[in-house]
Amino acid sequence: MIRGVIEGTGSYLPEYRLTNDQLEKLVDTSDEWITARTGIGCRRVAGPGEETSKIAAEAARRAMAMAGVEAEEIATIIVGTITSEMTMPSCACLVQKEIGAINAYAFDISAACTGFIYGLELADKMIKAYPDRKILVIGAENLSARVDWQDRNTCVLFGDGAGAAVIGADDSGRGILATKLFSDGRLGDLLYMNAAPSLNPYIGSPYNKRKSAKTEVFDPARLGSPRDDEGSYIKMAGREVFKNAVLAMEDSIDKVLEEAGLSGPEIDWILPHQANIRILHNLGERLGVPKEKIFINIHKYGNTSAATVPIAFDEANRQGLLKRGDLVLTCAFGGGFTWGAEIIRW
Ligand code: ACO
């Protein structure tokens, strides 16, 4: 059977590191609280030249280099994002221009943290129909432009980054074995973000405001605080989201394992969405999967929404952790709500 297989991975993390100690000076929080409750120690903040499409394009270039695929060979570009710097063109079209993928068609997926996994499922179906094609699936976010830096409930959680994968065809048993995707719009008001100010200079863009200054010392003003675009921040009922995330991801994992005819202990690696270390440990315990099999980088980058999964893929891949033939399970949960799980034979 022909399946979509990951031929190359890439990622890009903005240079600027924002630590918990710096956040202590901004809101009423502590390194101890953030580390204990979330597992996050640091996050990256995009600066000038690191717009969502730019970091997405850099991750894509790195994935194409690993796959040995030229930009002209890419047939489709799919970007999972909720924080593109423009509403139109799509982030995927901006990436297309940036990398010179002149033969591709390109579009975005808005599925919050599950965007990359939604994209992989689509790519797998496209590859089954057109096995000679190469598809770029990207997850990229600039969440620092969309959090309220005066709200300790959310600002400590999120970061910026991008990850990408080149998908091609394989008929040797490798590739995407099973996927289960879900959404429930009825729960949308537990985690949401109103329309973006984007690059529009007339509605108080946080991006425009922080375009000029890139200082060594963390400067809240650089992140646009106080701002006149309050309605566009991420809003989250954290505790409710936490409960839903654990149950929903666990359920989707059960279902995807069943579809693939596998059990938890057979999985070699879990490369999950990185939202909270407690969610990940909880999942591991419930599935009977030891902690060592769960790839974690949340301490370095925080929650980068659609980018967490492809960044994890790329880091685990480049660290040589993923061996050919390994069974890799990924899962995510995000605003919408959207969630899902996928099993890949690497
Ligand atoms: N520093 C110090 N105290 C804080 C902070 C902070 N940064 N944030 C909240 N608190 C306080 C609260 O005010 C509360 O105080 P109170 O008891 O006096 O009212 C106390 O800590 C406990 O608050 P909770 O919200 O119950 O804390 P919880 O243990 O649930 O952790 C968290 C909060 C980290 C947000 C957690 O609920 C979580 O991770 N939720 C899920 C996030 C997630 O999965 N998001 C999905 C993807 S995101 C997307 O799609 C874009």
Side-chain angles (χ1 to χ4, degrees), residues 177-189:
L177 302 185
T179 311
K180 286 287 178 188
L181 300 176
F182 305 89
S183 61
D184 188 345
R186 292 172 301 178
L187 301 171
D189 57 0

PDB file of all heavy atoms in Angstrom, residues 177-189:
ATOM      1  N   LEU A 177       0.496   5.362   9.165  1.00  0.00           N
ATOM      2  CA  LEU A 177      -0.278   4.111   9.263  1.00  0.00           C
ATOM      3  C   LEU A 177      -1.742   4.390   9.591  1.00  0.00           C
ATOM      4  O   LEU A 177      -2.637   3.693   9.100  1.00  0.00           O
ATOM      5  CB  LEU A 177       0.297   3.206  10.358  1.00  0.00           C
ATOM      6  CG  LEU A 177       1.769   2.780  10.241  1.00  0.00           C
ATOM      7  CD1 LEU A 177       2.104   1.794  11.352  1.00  0.00           C
ATOM      8  CD2 LEU A 177       2.056   2.154   8.882  1.00  0.00           C
ATOM      9  N   ALA A 178      -1.989   5.344  10.462  1.00  0.00           N
ATOM     10  CA  ALA A 178      -3.372   5.616  10.869  1.00  0.00           C
ATOM     11  C   ALA A 178      -3.472   7.013  11.466  1.00  0.00           C
ATOM     12  O   ALA A 178      -2.519   7.499  12.086  1.00  0.00           O
ATOM     13  CB  ALA A 178      -3.818   4.595  11.917  1.00  0.00           C
ATOM     14  N   THR A 179      -4.622   7.656  11.253  1.00  0.00           N
ATOM     15  CA  THR A 179      -4.851   9.006  11.795  1.00  0.00           C
ATOM     16  C   THR A 179      -6.283   9.098  12.301  1.00  0.00           C
ATOM     17  O   THR A 179      -7.196   8.585  11.663  1.00  0.00           O
ATOM     18  CB  THR A 179      -4.669  10.083  10.692  1.00  0.00           C
ATOM     19  OG1 THR A 179      -3.442   9.854  10.011  1.00  0.00           O
ATOM     20  CG2 THR A 179      -4.662  11.484  11.282  1.00  0.00           C
ATOM     21  N   LYS A 180      -6.465   9.740  13.427  1.00  0.00           N
ATOM     22  CA  LYS A 180      -7.812  10.035  13.935  1.00  0.00           C
ATOM     23  C   LYS A 180      -7.880  11.517  14.295  1.00  0.00           C
ATOM     24  O   LYS A 180      -7.104  11.977  15.145  1.00  0.00           O
ATOM     25  CB  LYS A 180      -8.107   9.185  15.184  1.00  0.00           C
ATOM     26  CG  LYS A 180      -8.374   7.729  14.877  1.00  0.00           C
ATOM     27  CD  LYS A 180      -9.750   7.565  14.241  1.00  0.00           C
ATOM     28  CE  LYS A 180     -10.025   6.123  13.870  1.00  0.00           C
ATOM     29  NZ  LYS A 180     -11.260   5.987  13.097  1.00  0.00           N
ATOM     30  N   LEU A 181      -8.757  12.236  13.635  1.00  0.00           N
ATOM     31  CA  LEU A 181      -8.878  13.672  13.861  1.00  0.00           C
ATOM     32  C   LEU A 181     -10.283  14.034  14.333  1.00  0.00           C
ATOM     33  O   LEU A 181     -11.257  13.406  13.906  1.00  0.00           O
ATOM     34  CB  LEU A 181      -8.577  14.440  12.566  1.00  0.00           C
ATOM     35  CG  LEU A 181      -7.196  14.230  11.961  1.00  0.00           C
ATOM     36  CD1 LEU A 181      -7.070  14.974  10.647  1.00  0.00           C
ATOM     37  CD2 LEU A 181      -6.102  14.651  12.939  1.00  0.00           C
ATOM     38  N   PHE A 182     -10.353  15.066  15.180  1.00  0.00           N
ATOM     39  CA  PHE A 182     -11.644  15.471  15.737  1.00  0.00           C
ATOM     40  C   PHE A 182     -11.691  16.982  15.912  1.00  0.00           C
ATOM     41  O   PHE A 182     -10.659  17.646  15.976  1.00  0.00           O
ATOM     42  CB  PHE A 182     -11.849  14.833  17.122  1.00  0.00           C
ATOM     43  CG  PHE A 182     -11.709  13.336  17.126  1.00  0.00           C
ATOM     44  CD1 PHE A 182     -10.467  12.750  17.338  1.00  0.00           C
ATOM     45  CD2 PHE A 182     -12.800  12.515  16.889  1.00  0.00           C
ATOM     46  CE1 PHE A 182     -10.316  11.363  17.330  1.00  0.00           C
ATOM     47  CE2 PHE A 182     -12.662  11.136  16.876  1.00  0.00           C
ATOM     48  CZ  PHE A 182     -11.416  10.557  17.096  1.00  0.00           C
ATOM     49  N   SER A 183     -12.923  17.505  16.043  1.00  0.00           N
ATOM     50  CA  SER A 183     -13.084  18.880  16.524  1.00  0.00           C
ATOM     51  C   SER A 183     -14.455  18.987  17.177  1.00  0.00           C
ATOM     52  O   SER A 183     -15.341  18.156  16.941  1.00  0.00           O
ATOM     53  CB  SER A 183     -12.941  19.891  15.384  1.00  0.00           C
ATOM     54  OG  SER A 183     -13.921  19.688  14.407  1.00  0.00           O
ATOM     55  N   ASP A 184     -14.587  20.011  18.042  1.00  0.00           N
ATOM     56  CA  ASP A 184     -15.873  20.257  18.686  1.00  0.00           C
ATOM     57  C   ASP A 184     -16.023  21.762  18.901  1.00  0.00           C
ATOM     58  O   ASP A 184     -15.516  22.321  19.883  1.00  0.00           O
ATOM     59  CB  ASP A 184     -15.955  19.517  20.029  1.00  0.00           C
ATOM     60  CG  ASP A 184     -17.359  19.607  20.626  1.00  0.00           C
ATOM     61  OD1 ASP A 184     -18.157  20.448  20.164  1.00  0.00           O
ATOM     62  OD2 ASP A 184     -17.661  18.832  21.558  1.00  0.00           O
ATOM     63  N   GLY A 185     -16.692  22.396  17.952  1.00  0.00           N
ATOM     64  CA  GLY A 185     -16.861  23.851  17.983  1.00  0.00           C
ATOM     65  C   GLY A 185     -17.698  24.337  19.158  1.00  0.00           C
ATOM     66  O   GLY A 185     -17.638  25.520  19.510  1.00  0.00           O
ATOM     67  N   ARG A 186     -18.434  23.432  19.809  1.00  0.00           N
ATOM     68  CA  ARG A 186     -19.264  23.860  20.943  1.00  0.00           C
ATOM     69  C   ARG A 186     -18.416  24.356  22.110  1.00  0.00           C
ATOM     70  O   ARG A 186     -18.885  25.079  22.973  1.00  0.00           O
ATOM     71  CB  ARG A 186     -20.145  22.696  21.416  1.00  0.00           C
ATOM     72  CG  ARG A 186     -21.209  22.289  20.417  1.00  0.00           C
ATOM     73  CD  ARG A 186     -21.909  21.017  20.852  1.00  0.00           C
ATOM     74  NE  ARG A 186     -20.969  19.910  20.989  1.00  0.00           N
ATOM     75  CZ  ARG A 186     -21.278  18.694  21.394  1.00  0.00           C
ATOM     76  NH1 ARG A 186     -22.525  18.409  21.716  1.00  0.00           N
ATOM     77  NH2 ARG A 186     -20.360  17.747  21.484  1.00  0.00           N
ATOM     78  N   LEU A 187     -17.140  23.915  22.151  1.00  0.00           N
ATOM     79  CA  LEU A 187     -16.277  24.285  23.275  1.00  0.00           C
ATOM     80  C   LEU A 187     -15.306  25.410  22.921  1.00  0.00           C
ATOM     81  O   LEU A 187     -14.338  25.671  23.643  1.00  0.00           O
ATOM     82  CB  LEU A 187     -15.508  23.034  23.751  1.00  0.00           C
ATOM     83  CG  LEU A 187     -16.412  21.887  24.205  1.00  0.00           C
ATOM     84  CD1 LEU A 187     -15.609  20.623  24.452  1.00  0.00           C
ATOM     85  CD2 LEU A 187     -17.175  22.271  25.464  1.00  0.00           C
ATOM     86  N   GLY A 188     -15.599  26.080  21.802  1.00  0.00           N
ATOM     87  CA  GLY A 188     -14.689  27.112  21.297  1.00  0.00           C
ATOM     88  C   GLY A 188     -14.431  28.259  22.245  1.00  0.00           C
ATOM     89  O   GLY A 188     -13.340  28.846  22.240  1.00  0.00           O
ATOM     90  N   ASP A 189     -15.421  28.591  23.101  1.00  0.00           N
ATOM     91  CA  ASP A 189     -15.207  29.767  23.952  1.00  0.00           C
ATOM     92  C   ASP A 189     -14.313  29.489  25.166  1.00  0.00           C
ATOM     93  O   ASP A 189     -14.069  30.376  25.972  1.00  0.00           O
ATOM     94  CB  ASP A 189     -16.543  30.406  24.364  1.00  0.00           C
ATOM     95  CG  ASP A 189     -17.444  29.430  25.085  1.00  0.00           C
ATOM     96  OD1 ASP A 189     -17.023  28.266  25.268  1.00  0.00           O
ATOM     97  OD2 ASP A 189     -18.560  29.819  25.478  1.00  0.00           O
TER      98      ASP A 189
END
